[in-house]
Amino acid sequence: MDIDHWRALLPLPEELPGYLAVARGIRGMAMDGRLGAGARLPSERTLALALGVSRTTITRAYGELVASGWARARQGSGTTVILPTGERAPSFPLIPGLRTDAIDLSAAAGLAPSGTAAIIRGALEWLPSTLNSAGYEPFGAPHLRRRIADWYGGRGLATDPDQIVVTAGAMTAVSVAMHSLLGPGERIVVDSPTYPGALGAIEAVRARAVSVPLVTGWDVAGWEEALRRSKAGAAYLIPDFHNPTGLLMPGGQRVELAGLLARHDCVPIIDETLVELNLSGLHLPAPFAVADGRAITIGSLSKVLWGGIRIGWLRCPPARLDAVRTRALQLGLGASALDQLVATSYFEEAAPVREEVVGRLARARDTWLAELADRLPEWRVRPPDGGLALWVELPRRASSELALAASTRHLLLTPGPRFSADRTQTNRLRLPLTLPPDVIGEAVARLAAAWDDVVSGVRVAVGRDAVAL
Ligand SMILES: Cc1ncc(COP(=O)(O)O)c(C=O)c1O
């Protein structure tokens, strides 16, 4: 981690003495895995210079970390992070249902809508002809690729079915795109925050993510600066109901950003996984690829239908098709034939399913907002027009501590830094709209109790030890 990162990660809140603020900041990073066990902290002099504080402040901060069991100081090898349990940092899974004793807010994935069984029955009618084949369609069955191409056509983006490569969910599509555009050490520009799965895919190809902050909208000047400095060959964007902020990129900005990316010879990966989750009935701008024909666009049925149907896809410009198909083949042999039949069956009559899903998410959004306003009025949240989540602003940089306190109260959270390549977003929390409305009241009650724990600095258990928040 370079020194600019440390500066971004350790803003010093005024309400704490400097040394304590530094110690708590570092401990928060160790708690949520941003600093692994054994990570070496910068020298006292370097960190003091980076943060603009005295060297004594850092000496005391490191002393505090050593005394509380979060760091070890060795002559000659500096100060390194240790975890009090001697085990791994507590992990915050993004896969729902891993812990059944808790309300799980760590993933944004909903239950299947009521029409799903009928869609599956519809698909089974076509099964006999599929069984009469080998069952492998590594780039997608023609019946489904045609439906997807028509869906793009209906949105103003003329598409040939041959441009579509079907995958087992959008996450696989993201990986295929990253593998086809990036190699080790190469750079890709992303928003901060962004979808953690994309950050994982970037890590898997050992490329480097360069973050541009996304607060109330896309900062085109910030993107220009990042592109100029990084010379990145690829960018990852979620313009349609961005995960986790729910933001929608206006049409004019799509054209501006597309022009900018083209001038910098940077290929956009456009993730449209959430495009159908239009909770406020907004008029949607044309797909990003209308403004930039070089874009690789990703789609999925996981959010508008159900995550259990593992169907996603890439829409490729013809010039990239061979490379993308090759990567897709290297990473797997395509989506299940049965799931592809279900996906085609969904496209036969998508509107009622979409309306049910969108109605459910909009009701959950309104319930969350009312409950939060009631019990946690000091938390700030902009009502999202679409997507799967609320992106809450906490009054303190304590997202990781909150996740830890919540877990002892049987509530699973994903701390804000998980949504950021530069591990900022320490004052942010994502709350999923996929939680059934009748559970939201209880979830907010537990959130409020956990927040009280953080504010009052209680001790919570980490493995065999107890730490003060
Ligand atoms: C932006 C984005 N891309 C991709 C995915 C992964 O979707 P899938 O379940 O289709 O793999 C998600 C899931 O939350 C997402 O939010």
Side-chain angles (χ1 to χ4, degrees), residues 108 168-172 174 195 236 238 243 271 273-274 300-303 307 310-312 388 430:
M171 185 57 230
T172 306
V174 170
Y195 170 54
Y236 172 79
I238 315 168
N243 183 1
D271 191 336
T273 294
L274 306 143
S300 172
L301 293 191
S302 299
K303 308 305 173 187
R310 301 301 304 144
I311 293 294
L388 282 171
R430 185 182 76 166

Side-chain angles (χ1 to χ4, degrees), residues 82-97:
I82 52 173
L83 302 173
T85 55
E87 294 160 14
R88 279 156 33 105
S91 69
F92 301 97
L94 291 184
I95 300 167

Side-chain angles (χ1 to χ4, degrees), residues 82 100 102 115 133 145 163 184 199 222 233 260 272 286-287 311 332 355 421 430 436 440 460:
I82 52 173
T100 48
S133 73
R145 284 195 277 135
Q163 288 179 263
L199 297 178
L260 192 62
E272 292 186 340
I311 293 294
E355 274 160 32
R430 185 182 76 166
I440 292 174
V460 297

Side-chain angles (χ1 to χ4, degrees), residues 32 193 391 399-400 414-420 423-430:
D32 63 29
W391 185 237
S399 183
S400 300
T414 303
R418 283 291 296 274
F419 296 86
S420 166
R423 303 303 192 206
T424 54
Q425 312 294 338
T426 48
N427 61 338
R428 294 286 187 162
L429 186 66
R430 185 182 76 166

